[in-house]
């Protein structure tokens, strides 16, 4: 009964334990673009594009609606009516109630069977509809495949950057955030946690399916170090509600429901995520279980219930394959109803009632033989040693539970190792820069996770910078001739203002600043000005300055020609003659007045 999911998560943790600190570290020296100046403050700007967010959120909401409508008997009638009024219900793909997927390729069928084993609320027919044509889960799988394909292609030309790791961390964060869409769809109530866990389990399976397809198409084996690191970031522990409370919500993703709490699990996880020596998780968890009788009893019961559920599910699957779909409908309801099997084996009376219920729904043929084994287990049930009816000793049952719990502990340890990598991603909304996220992506400063065409990170264009310097010829000599006040007025009116007006025509930056970025004023000296910017901008500015000075020279030529000079000199002569005549007349009047006075 142990799940291959638990075994795979333990395999990934074993690879990480060789060098825990470096396993998921984003090295700034290998990143194509990052912010920050050291490993401690490295920041990778990432945008989950609106089209990608719509795919993730739409897939989550559709799966939640499928679960709510499929399990409507578990929900209040008024809540079901509210859901049926949603527009999305009219576009739900038709889902079969069977455990068997019924159609699809090998990847879809494998995903659907994993889902039905991982959570009782996820029958294969429902998951196949969601992942098949018309289902939004199909788009989510395609998003994972396409982005990882691009990432694998781009990393070939990068300087050692593992782009799939960035993609997996970004998409996994987007799927974790989609829990809000799931909660918004599902009605609040005692079973909401059960269906939320089922929906998030389905999201994880879709991501895992896409990741597996992308790496398989690239020829990367399961033992490939890059694949192990990428898978580490797509963790069930990140997506399941409660973030680590794997026993809540009915999840059996690691092999059985982990309903027995284990003291000391946090300390064991911390050791597994730290530097060696590393604990053998399954062995140490088995020791912890054996040291507590009550804890061991709960663990053995969980394993026994897992085997009982697996036996009934095997009979249902076989009956559906033989065409007895309606015959085993009560058995499917029994498996999907949370807590029903556990309540049925709790005491002698409920066990007899459960046995009668199974016998009444027993299919014919080989499927009936499979169900008879489950009935025999119910009749021989031993409350103090429940796993014995499946041929397991108490030690073996605790060992199975410890293996499942070890898979969960491995994920918790991997999440500790992944925390710095997840914190290093700086998710952008587009409001951080004047031009928005598109301008940042076009400039090569943003990793964009989008379903649309284009690279994840564009190659930054290196544009040469030009410098322009303009000054006044013979400034010192002309200042001594004209005077400082006249020269200052000339510089303001005929030098600085025309040049700055021409420079403003080439701005290209922030709209709330006077200097908008296309042309930068480096310095304003007493008789000169210096600019820098793009080459084409500097050439155009130089041409504009030359035109302004040529216009000033033409104006001077118009105002200072020979005729104008003659008129100005004649005017000066007239003013001078008038002043001399006035002075002479005044002198004559003074002399005459002096002669008239008596001696």
């Amino acid at each position: 009964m142990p799940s291959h999911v638990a075994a795979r998560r333990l395999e990934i943790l074993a690879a990480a334990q060789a060098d825990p600190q470096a396993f998921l570290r984003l090295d700034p020296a290998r990143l194509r673009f990052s912010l920050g100046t050291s490993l401690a403050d490295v920041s990778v700007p990432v945008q989950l594009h609106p089209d990608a967010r719509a795919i993730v959120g739409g897939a989550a909401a559709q799966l939640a609606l499928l679960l709510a409508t499929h399990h409507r008997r578990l929900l209040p009638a008024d809540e079901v009516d509210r859901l049926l009024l949603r527009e999305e219900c009219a576009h739900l793909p038709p889902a079969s109630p069977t455990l068997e997927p019924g159609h699809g390729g090998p990847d879809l069928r494998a995903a659907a069977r994993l889902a039905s084993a991982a959570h009782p609320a996820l029958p294969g027919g429902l998951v196949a509809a969601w992942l098949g044509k018309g289902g939004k889960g199909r788009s989510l799988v395609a998003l994972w495949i396409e982005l990882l394909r691009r990432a694998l292609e781009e990393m070939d030309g990068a300087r050692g950057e593992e782009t799939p790791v960035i993609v997996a961390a970004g998409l996994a964060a987007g799927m974790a955030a989609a829990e809000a869409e799931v909660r918004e769809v599902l009605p609040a109530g005692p079973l909401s946690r059960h269906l939320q866990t089922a929906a998030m389990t389905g999201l994880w399976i879709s991501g895992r399916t896409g990741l597996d397809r992308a790496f398989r198409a690239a020829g990367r084996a399961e033992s490939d170090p890059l694949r192990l690191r990428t898978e580490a970031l797509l963790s069930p522990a990140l997506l399941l509600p409660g973030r680590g409370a794997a026993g809540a919500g009915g999840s059996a993703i690691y092999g059985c429901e982990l309903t027995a709490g284990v003291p000391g699990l946090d300390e064991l996880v911390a050791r597994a995520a730290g530097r060696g020596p590393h604990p053998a998780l399954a062995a140490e968890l088995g020791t912890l279980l054996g040291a507590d009788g009550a804890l061991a009893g709960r663990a053995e019961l969980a394993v026994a219930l897992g085997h009982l559920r697996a036996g009934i599910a095997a009979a249902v699957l076989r009956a559906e394959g033989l065409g007895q779909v309606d015959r085993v409908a009560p058995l499917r309801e029994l498996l999907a109803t949370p807590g029903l099997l556990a309540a049925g084996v709790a005491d002698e009376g409920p066990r007899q009632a459960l046995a009668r219920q199974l016998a009444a729904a027993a299919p014919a043929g080989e499927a009936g033989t499979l169900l008879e084994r489950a009935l025999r287990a119910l009749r021989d049930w031993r409350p103090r040693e429940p796993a014995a009816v499946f041929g397991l000793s108490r030690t073996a049952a605790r060992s199975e539970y410890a293996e499942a719990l070890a898979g969960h502990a491995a994920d918790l340890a991997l999440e500790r190792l992944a925390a710095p990598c997840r914190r290093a991603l700086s998710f952008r909304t587009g409001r951080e820069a004047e031009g928005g996220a598109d301008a940042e992506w076009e400039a090569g400063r943003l990793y964009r996770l989008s379903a649309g065409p284009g690279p994840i990170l564009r190659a930054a264009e290196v544009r040469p910078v030009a410098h322009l310097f303009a000054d006044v010829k013979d400034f010192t000599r002309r200042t001594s001739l004209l005077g400082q006040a006249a020269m200052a007025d000339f510089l303001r009116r005929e030098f600085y203002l025309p040049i700055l007006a021409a420079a403003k025509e080439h701005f290209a930056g922030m709209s709330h600043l006077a200097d908008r970025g296309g042309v930068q004023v480096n310095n304003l000296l007493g008789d000169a000005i210096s600019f820098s910017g793009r080459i084409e901008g500097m050439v155009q500015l130089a041409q504009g300055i030359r035109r302004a000075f040529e216009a000033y020279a033409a104006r001077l030529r118009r105002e200072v020609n020979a005729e104008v000079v003659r008129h100005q000199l004649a005017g000066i002569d007239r003013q001078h003659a008038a002043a001399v005549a006035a002075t002479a007349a005044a002198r004559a009047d003074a002399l005459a007045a002096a002669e008239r006075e008596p001696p």
Side-chain angles (χ1 to χ4, degrees):
M1 190 194 69
S3 166
H4 68 275
V5 174
R8 180 60 175 171
R9 305 311 290 182
L10 285 167
E11 180 183 351
I12 296 172
L13 178 62
Q17 287 173 335
D19 190 353
Q21 304 308 314
F23 185 65
L24 292 172
R25 184 177 64 196
L26 295 177
D27 186 354
R30 300 172 64 187
L31 292 171
R32 287 181 287 166
F33 181 80
S34 65
L35 304 173
T37 57
S38 67
L39 181 61
D41 63 353
V42 63
S43 176
V44 181
V46 176
Q47 183 203 25
L48 189 61
H49 195 269
D51 61 8
R53 285 204 305 271
I55 290 174
V56 175
Q62 187 182 74
L63 181 56
L65 276 174
L66 283 168
L67 286 166
T69 54
H70 183 80
H71 300 289
R72 65 180 66 186
R73 71 187 187 282
L74 303 178
L75 301 173
D78 55 341
E79 291 291 349
V80 174
D81 293 339
R82 176 184 67 83
L83 291 175
L84 293 176
L85 292 175
R86 293 176 66 106
E87 182 181 354
E88 300 96 312
C89 277
H91 306 288
L92 290 178
S96 167
T98 60
L99 292 187
E100 175 63 31
H103 66 276
D107 288 324
L108 186 150
R109 294 172 66 84
R113 287 170 176 165
L114 173 61
S116 62
H119 199 284
L122 287 172
L126 183 150
V127 175
W130 181 63
L131 293 176
K133 293 181 179 179
K136 294 186 177 181
R138 182 185 183 93
S139 300
L140 182 55
V141 173
L143 180 66
W144 273 91
I145 295 172
E146 176 60 20
L147 286 175
L148 286 174
R149 181 192 65 78
R150 291 184 208 167
L152 288 165
E153 289 178 355
E154 290 182 28
M155 68 174 284
D156 290 338
R159 52 185 181 184
E161 174 188 274
E162 294 184 335
T163 314
V165 170
I166 298 174
V167 169
L171 277 180
M175 291 205 305
E179 186 180 350
E181 278 83 356
V182 172
R183 286 198 306 268
E184 193 274 331
V185 170
L186 293 175
L191 296 179
S192 60
R193 180 66 172 273
H194 185 76
L195 296 182
Q196 284 178 24
T197 303
M200 299 308 290
T201 300
L203 287 181
W204 178 80
I205 289 172
S206 69
R208 179 183 181 274
T209 302
L211 188 150
D212 182 64
R213 284 275 300 273
F215 277 93
R216 197 167 67 235
R220 301 265 185 165
E222 290 191 354
S223 58
D224 182 88
L226 175 62
R227 178 167 178 172
L228 292 170
R229 283 191 281 273
T230 306
E231 279 194 53
L233 290 163
L234 180 59
S235 168
L238 174 70
L239 299 183
L240 294 182
R243 302 294 185 268
S251 174
I253 197 167
Y254 299 106
C256 66
E257 291 190 48
L258 302 178
T259 52
V262 178
L265 180 62
D266 289 342
E267 188 271 337
L268 193 59
V269 166
R271 286 169 50 205
R275 297 186 180 275
H278 298 106
L281 287 174
E284 294 206 18
L285 286 169
T287 301
L288 290 173
L289 290 171
D292 186 327
L295 180 62
R298 292 196 298 271
E300 293 166 27
L301 177 60
V303 169
L305 285 172
H307 279 273
L308 179 61
R309 181 181 298 279
I312 298 173
V316 171
L317 286 169
R318 186 58 183 155
E320 291 172 349
L322 296 172
Q324 304 178 50
V325 174
D326 295 334
R327 174 71 177 172
V328 291
L331 298 181
R332 288 196 298 269
E333 290 188 8
L334 173 67
L335 293 174
T337 304
L340 202 56
L341 275 183
V345 300
D347 207 349
E348 182 64 28
R351 279 197 296 276
Q352 293 178 0
L354 180 59
R356 288 193 297 270
Q357 183 180 354
L358 293 179
E366 185 181 349
T369 303
L370 292 173
L371 187 63
E372 179 60 31
R373 297 174 186 172
L375 279 168
R376 191 162 51 250
L378 278 175
R379 296 188 190 103
D380 298 339
W381 194 270
R382 304 178 191 174
R384 293 183 178 275
E385 198 175 350
V389 295
F390 300 103
L392 296 174
S393 65
R394 297 193 64 184
T395 301
R398 290 196 298 269
S399 177
E400 279 199 11
Y401 188 89
E403 289 179 20
L405 187 57
H408 175 55
D411 267 341
L412 295 181
L414 287 171
E415 276 304 292
R416 291 194 179 211
L417 297 179
C421 176
R422 298 194 193 282
R423 287 196 300 268
L425 297 191
S426 176
F427 286 94
R428 302 304 177 96
T429 63
R431 294 189 294 269
E432 296 82 4
E434 175 70 15
D438 287 342
E440 291 292 288
W441 174 71
E442 290 172 0
R445 297 192 295 267
L446 180 69
Y447 290 81
R448 188 177 73 174
L449 308 182
S450 170
I456 294 170
L457 180 70
R458 287 192 61 172
E461 295 185 25
V462 179
R463 297 186 176 181
V465 176
H467 296 276
L468 177 64
F469 182 81
D471 70 338
V472 178
K473 186 177 180 180
D474 295 334
F475 173 74
T476 303
R477 184 174 65 85
R478 295 176 189 275
T479 302
S480 64
L481 291 175
L482 298 177
Q484 295 180 355
M487 197 62 181
D489 183 62
F490 163 77
L491 287 172
R492 183 182 66 83
R493 289 186 297 104
E494 307 298 345
F495 185 75
Y496 288 125
L497 288 181
I499 291 177
L500 291 174
K504 284 186 177 180
E505 297 177 3
H506 300 280
F507 62 73
M510 297 183 180
S511 59
H512 64 283
L513 299 179
D515 175 13
R516 302 190 185 184
V519 172
Q520 179 178 349
V521 179
N522 296 324
N523 207 345
L524 280 171
L525 304 175
D527 63 336
I529 188 168
S530 172
F531 295 99
S532 63
R534 298 175 182 173
I535 292 177
E536 60 271 23
M538 293 296 97
V539 171
Q540 293 170 3
L541 178 57
Q543 293 171 343
I545 293 173
R546 183 175 292 276
R547 286 193 296 268
F549 286 170
E550 288 175 351
Y552 178 55
R555 179 158 52 86
L556 286 179
R557 285 193 297 270
R558 287 195 304 270
E559 295 178 356
V560 188
N561 55 34
E563 186 65 28
V564 172
V565 172
R566 281 196 298 271
H567 283 297
Q568 289 178 347
L569 289 176
I572 292 172
D573 287 341
R574 286 193 298 270
Q575 291 175 3
H576 179 69
V580 170
T583 302
R587 185 171 181 276
D589 291 342
L591 289 174
E595 290 176 355
R596 286 194 298 270
E597 291 182 359

